[in-house]
């Protein structure tokens, strides 16, 4: 079933849901800044669910810890890339870094 493309699939049924009007307005504003309608966002969620064969994000009490660990791993990878680059291409002094960035100390 994940071969369905939500964008081009015929739309012959409707879907209704109840939502707090303030929450609805808030998310509509968020999606509008991305050039999307609420319907577009729901269709993207549905397409991603089909692509993933389930929810397109983790749902568990560990989400916060998982996201922190993922962010830390990404940070450490970036730091390692910086170290590797400095070892390969040479170190830049703090003064040179300020000069290169056009920032006064």
């Amino acid at each position: 079933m994940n071969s369905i493309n939500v964008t081009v699939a015929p739309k012959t049924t409707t879907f209704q849901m109840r939502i707090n009007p303030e929450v609805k307005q808030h998310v509509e504003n968020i999606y509008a800044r991305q050039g999307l309608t609420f319907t577009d966002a729901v269709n993207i969620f549905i397409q991603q669910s089909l692509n993933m064969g389930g929810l397109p994000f983790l749902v568990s009490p560990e989400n916060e810890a998982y996201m922190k660990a993922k962010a830390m791993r990404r940070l450490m990878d970036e730091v390692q890339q910086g170290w590797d680059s400095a070892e390969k291409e040479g170190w830049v002094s703090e003064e040179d870094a300020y000069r290169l960035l056009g920032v006064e100390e």
Side-chain angles (χ1 to χ4, degrees), residues 72-104:
M72 182 56 77
R73 180 74 258 150
R74 186 173 177 191
L75 173 63
M76 296 311 295
D77 288 345
E78 291 286 330
V79 168
Q80 187 61 53
Q81 286 177 8
W83 280 105
D84 293 346
S85 173
E87 289 290 330
K88 180 180 177 184
E89 298 170 24
W91 293 91
V92 176
S93 69
E94 184 177 352
E95 295 80 20
D96 286 342
Y98 280 113
R99 185 181 47 74
L100 290 168
L101 295 172
V103 177
E104 292 184 29

Side-chain angles (χ1 to χ4, degrees), residues 52-64:
M52 299 295 292
L55 289 172
F57 49 81
L58 292 175
V59 179
S60 75
E62 292 81 31
N63 277 2
E64 183 178 354

Side-chain angles (χ1 to χ4, degrees), residues 9-81:
K11 297 180 178 48
T12 57
T13 191
T14 59
F15 168 77
Q16 289 184 329
M17 63 183 273
R18 295 196 183 279
I19 187 171
N20 176 285
E22 290 176 29
V23 171
K24 181 177 182 268
Q25 185 62 55
H26 187 68
V27 297
E28 284 176 333
N29 292 339
I30 291 169
Y31 298 144
R33 288 194 299 267
Q34 304 298 315
L36 299 170
T37 64
F38 197 163
T39 300
D40 293 333
V42 169
N43 279 318
I44 290 169
F45 172 80
I46 291 169
Q47 183 67 61
Q48 285 299 99
S49 296
L50 290 169
N51 294 348
M52 299 295 292
L55 289 172
F57 49 81
L58 292 175
V59 179
S60 75
E62 292 81 31
N63 277 2
E64 183 178 354
Y66 172 78
M67 296 305 289
K68 284 181 182 178
K70 186 175 177 180
M72 182 56 77
R73 180 74 258 150
R74 186 173 177 191
L75 173 63
M76 296 311 295
D77 288 345
E78 291 286 330
V79 168
Q80 187 61 53
Q81 286 177 8

